[in-house]
């Protein structure tokens, strides 16, 4: 599952679309992303994160592993 950090002021759907292009190499219009979940995660006593999860039903391109060392899991195909 692609993930990443967004630029300050970047809308969530725009950042998610950027990550989908950078990691699996698919193009998604931000307006086509549907928010489906928000998760607060405490990694340790000093680091907390909030994860925003989106669903993409329409995209262009075939998902590939652009960062194979970082992501060792299989790419699911629709």
């Amino acid at each position: 599952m692609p993930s990443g950090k967004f630029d300050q002021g970047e809308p969530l759907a725009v950042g998610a679309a950027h990550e989908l292009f950078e990691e699996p190499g698919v193009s998604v219009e931000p307006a086509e992303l549907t928010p489906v979940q928000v998760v607060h995660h405490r990694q340790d006593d000093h680091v907390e994160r909030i994860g925003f999860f989106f669903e993409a039903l329409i995209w262009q391109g075939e998902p590939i592993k652009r960062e194979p060392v970082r992501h060792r899991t299989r790419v699911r195909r629709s």
Side-chain angles (χ1 to χ4, degrees), residues 7 16 20 22 31 53-54 63-65 68-69:
D7 295 330
L20 285 166
E22 289 174 6
F53 295 81
F54 292 84
I64 60 171
K65 289 185 192 179
V69 173

Side-chain angles (χ1 to χ4, degrees), residues 1-54:
M1 182 177 300
S3 66
K5 297 176 183 170
F6 297 172
D7 295 330
Q8 184 175 354
E10 184 175 38
L12 293 174
V14 172
H18 286 158
E19 291 300 326
L20 285 166
F21 183 73
E22 289 174 6
E23 293 184 22
V26 296
S27 295
V28 177
E29 289 295 325
E32 295 293 335
L33 293 169
T34 303
V36 294
Q37 185 73 282
V38 177
V39 176
H40 176 255
H41 173 68
R42 180 171 293 179
Q43 281 187 259
D44 57 38
D45 290 340
H46 305 287
V47 178
E48 296 184 45
R49 297 178 189 264
I50 298 176
F52 296 90
F53 295 81
F54 292 84

